[in-house]
Amino acid sequence: MTTGAAANPAQTAAAVLETRGVSKTFGVVRALRDVSLTLRAGEVHGLVGENGAGKSTLIKILTGFYQPDAGGLTLDGAAAAFDSPRAAQQSGVCAVYQEINLIPERSVADNIFLCHEPKKFGFLTDRKRMLERAAEIVQRYRLAVDPAARLGSLGLGAQQMVAIARGVSLGARVLILDEPTSALSGAEVDVLFEVVDQLRAEGIALLFVSHRLSECYRLCDRFTVMRDGAVVRTGTPEELPRSALIAAMLGRESAGEHAWADREGRADVTPALDVAHLQWGNRVRDVSLRVAPREIVGLAGLLGSGRTETFKTIFGAQKADAGQVDIDGQPLGHATPARSIARGLAFLSEDRRAEGIFPRLSVRENIVASLLPRISRFGFISPAKEAQLVRESIARLGIKTAGPGAPISTLSGGNQQKALIARCLSTRPTVLLLDDPTRGIDVGAKEEVHRVVQQLAEEGLAVVVTSSEMEELLALTDRLVVLNEGATQGGMPTKGAHPDDVLAVLAGPGADGAP
């Protein structure tokens, strides 16, 4: 795969879509301040910034969800105004979001041509023609999907490709990809990037939004960096090396995306968590691992290796078929989430939206959701205890919110994640299971999460963590336990290790040594 920065004629191509001095205010919050952005034909333009920097608001203005309070858009050099997403699509501006907004029970072809189906006799859907045109698009981008297949039967990667194919079918001249790789495997990311390269070669202007900077540098021709609702830097990858890009995003020099901390003296103590030959269905076949107090262990495995299922089985969210889990040397027994929490085990799910936040509740209610019995007496909640705990949690984790009573849905993704970590910590755990805790959050929020995790380990917690980014696992953990097809296969220390070392272990027959 070639990087977008190499030999890029798009840098001199005419602008397709521009924003000029766009501003947007919600109440007292100024979400965008004088934002100017230029998208050119045949260019992949990276839009980067911390959560809350204004990226989502800008995308919604580009796609007609919002109208700017000041400034405006130009399309092919002429003033343009989109009063709805449909108006933007009709003008060739389409977006593909992290959460796929398609209909899983309908076919691939139905989703590609949703709301603009080919007609016969002027009003009947021409299904034969629709399937033929869908097959042409699928073949054009070498997508291994059947146009007649039900969308929900496909993997997330294939569904993401169908969403892109829909944009192509709408005649997109500008395609916005908002965190398109967050739920994809490495192989699926490679396929996605091949499709993006083809779209670039066809002259489509692409806006690529991602927190994974390695992917941005692999793909993008140019960057726009946003901070606090304003554009702070624009340049090519050569003009904005990684350190400069991160500094622009944060408004300061980074402490390093990942700061490895050396903690010593854990090997000769009773394990805080001892898992022996755990099994659940055919997804968790034989998992064994030990984690000592003050230790951070990474559970390393490819997508589909059973990482999430392993955590859920340990926690008791799904009943184990065999095996044993000990907490501080004592069997957990017939684990349930409530019993696990009472014994000092906390679990943070990777799926923040579906299994984490209560979107209609406040920040305060989300933080205290797991410990209501502890702050209540005779069924009545102590307002004083609740308020004190929430204040301490917000301050400790640096949660940016208008106040404890603000709806958690108004927080950025990174701050929602920190609120969920606060919920875990509110139960005073001794063992913390973190399933991809920095998925979908920005560099600054990652640093804060890493700082908190390392501080918790220093204070005596045992932490087990997974991540979709191998560099993060190596930087954050003391050692890795390798998981392959639901079974642990040894491990390795992380100090001085390289991602290629881990990938070699994952691809091989397994490492020697006990987990």
Side-chain angles (χ1 to χ4, degrees):
M1 179 67 63
T2 59
T3 61
N8 177 30
Q11 292 181 12
T12 59
V16 180
L17 182 65
E18 292 183 276
T19 67
R20 295 180 178 178
V22 165
S23 297
K24 183 68 177 177
T25 300
F26 298 97
V28 297
V29 177
R30 197 170 185 187
L32 295 178
R33 296 181 290 117
D34 195 26
V35 172
S36 295
L37 173 76
T38 300
L39 303 180
R40 299 184 178 123
E43 179 184 63
V44 180
H45 192 121
L47 182 63
V48 297
E50 293 192 89
N51 285 27
K55 304 188 302 295
S56 295
T57 303
L58 179 60
I59 289 172
K60 288 179 178 179
I61 285 177
L62 292 174
T63 54
F65 280 95
Y66 297 147
Q67 281 68 52
D69 298 330
L73 309 181
T74 65
L75 187 65
D76 295 326
F82 307 138
D83 58 7
S84 68
R86 186 173 183 83
Q89 290 175 2
Q90 290 173 341
S91 297
V93 181
C94 301
V96 177
Y97 296 99
Q98 176 180 354
E99 283 78 26
I100 299 169
N101 297 317
L102 297 177
I103 304 175
E105 298 306 318
R106 301 284 293 274
S107 72
V108 168
D110 286 331
N111 278 280
I112 289 176
F113 291 98
L114 190 65
C115 297
H116 66 113
E117 299 87 349
K119 303 293 184 181
K120 57 183 177 181
F121 310 121
F123 62 95
L124 293 177
T125 298
D126 190 339
R127 299 202 62 81
K128 180 180 178 182
R129 186 179 170 209
M130 185 170 69
L131 285 168
E132 289 173 349
R133 288 180 58 185
E136 290 171 3
I137 293 174
V138 165
Q139 185 176 10
R140 176 178 167 188
Y141 296 104
R142 301 187 301 280
L143 308 182
V145 298
D146 178 1
R150 185 175 64 86
L151 182 73
S153 67
L154 307 180
L156 285 176
Q159 292 186 39
Q160 195 74 270
M161 300 302 176
V162 172
I164 292 174
R166 170 172 164 73
V168 171
S169 76
L170 288 165
R173 303 175 55 229
V174 176
L175 193 59
I176 300 167
L177 303 178
D178 187 10
E179 296 285 354
T181 66
S182 62
L184 305 188
S185 68
E188 289 172 330
V189 169
D190 288 339
V191 173
L192 173 66
F193 281 12
E194 288 175 6
V195 171
V196 169
D197 277 340
Q198 186 170 344
L199 294 169
R200 170 168 38 201
E202 293 173 2
I204 292 176
L206 295 117
L207 184 65
F208 183 78
V209 184
S210 177
H211 291 307
R212 297 179 176 179
L213 297 187
S214 59
E215 294 178 354
C216 292
Y217 278 94
R218 177 181 170 187
L219 190 65
C220 296
D221 303 300
R222 197 157 49 100
F223 295 119
T224 287
V225 184
M226 295 188 68
R227 186 175 72 244
D228 296 329
V231 172
V232 292
R233 290 288 300 273
T234 296
T236 66
E238 291 81 9
E239 294 166 340
L240 281 172
R242 194 180 184 100
S243 58
L245 187 75
I246 294 174
M249 290 169 60
L250 301 179
R252 57 177 171 79
E253 291 298 321
S254 171
E257 282 186 82
H258 316 298
W260 194 89
D262 192 3
R263 288 169 300 278
E264 307 227 350
R266 296 176 297 267
D268 58 350
V269 299
T270 300
L273 175 68
D274 190 349
V275 180
H277 305 295
L278 196 67
Q279 298 177 31
W280 177 77
N282 61 358
R283 302 303 301 275
V284 182
R285 297 187 297 110
D286 187 5
V287 170
S288 297
L289 64 95
R290 294 185 181 94
V291 190
R294 302 186 71 245
E295 185 176 32
I296 304 176
V297 172
L299 193 61
L302 302 175
L303 193 70
S305 61
R307 298 174 307 189
T308 295
E309 292 83 358
T310 294
F311 274 2
K312 288 184 175 181
T313 307
I314 293 173
F315 187 62
Q318 51 200 27
K319 185 179 179 181
D321 298 324
Q324 181 167 316
V325 176
D326 289 357
I327 306 294
D328 294 326
Q330 297 297 319
L332 183 56
H334 299 292
T336 64
R339 181 176 173 81
S340 296
I341 290 171
R343 288 289 306 278
L345 187 61
F347 169 51
L348 179 67
S349 170
E350 68 169 343
D351 195 338
R352 179 172 65 243
R353 296 199 177 203
E355 299 179 346
I357 65 169
F358 299 107
R360 297 185 179 183
L361 299 184
S362 67
V363 174
R364 180 187 68 252
E365 290 165 321
N366 270 274
I367 289 175
V368 303
S370 293
L371 76 158
L372 293 178
R374 182 174 295 173
I375 59 173
S376 63
R377 187 176 184 183
F378 305 119
F380 294 96
I381 297 173
S382 168
K385 290 182 179 179
E386 182 184 62
Q388 180 182 359
L389 184 143
V390 171
R391 281 197 306 270
E392 291 173 352
S393 297
I394 290 174
R396 182 180 187 185
L397 275 76
I399 301 171
K400 296 178 182 177
T401 173
I408 197 168
S409 58
T410 63
L411 272 59
S412 67
N415 284 296
Q416 289 180 10
Q417 194 75 330
K418 286 189 281 184
L420 294 179
I421 293 175
R423 180 196 297 169
C424 290
L425 300 182
S426 70
T427 65
R428 300 176 186 172
T430 57
V431 179
L432 193 56
L433 307 177
L434 301 175
D435 192 1
D436 213 350
T438 64
R439 174 177 175 248
I441 65 176
D442 57 65
V443 172
K446 282 185 179 182
E447 285 189 0
E448 294 175 12
V449 170
H450 293 171
R451 174 187 58 78
V452 168
V453 171
Q454 290 177 340
Q455 180 182 340
L456 293 171
E458 291 290 348
E459 293 172 359
L461 263 70
V463 182
V464 190
V465 61
T466 71
S467 175
S468 52
E469 299 181 54
M470 192 58 66
E471 293 88 349
E472 179 177 44
L473 273 185
L474 288 177
L476 184 60
T477 65
D478 303 306
R479 62 184 174 91
L480 299 181
V481 171
V482 174
L483 187 67
N484 185 13
E485 295 182 356
T488 46
Q489 298 183 339
M492 60 184 292
T494 55
K495 189 173 184 179
H498 188 273
D500 290 345
D501 301 330
V502 184
L503 293 174
V505 174
L506 292 175
D512 294 330

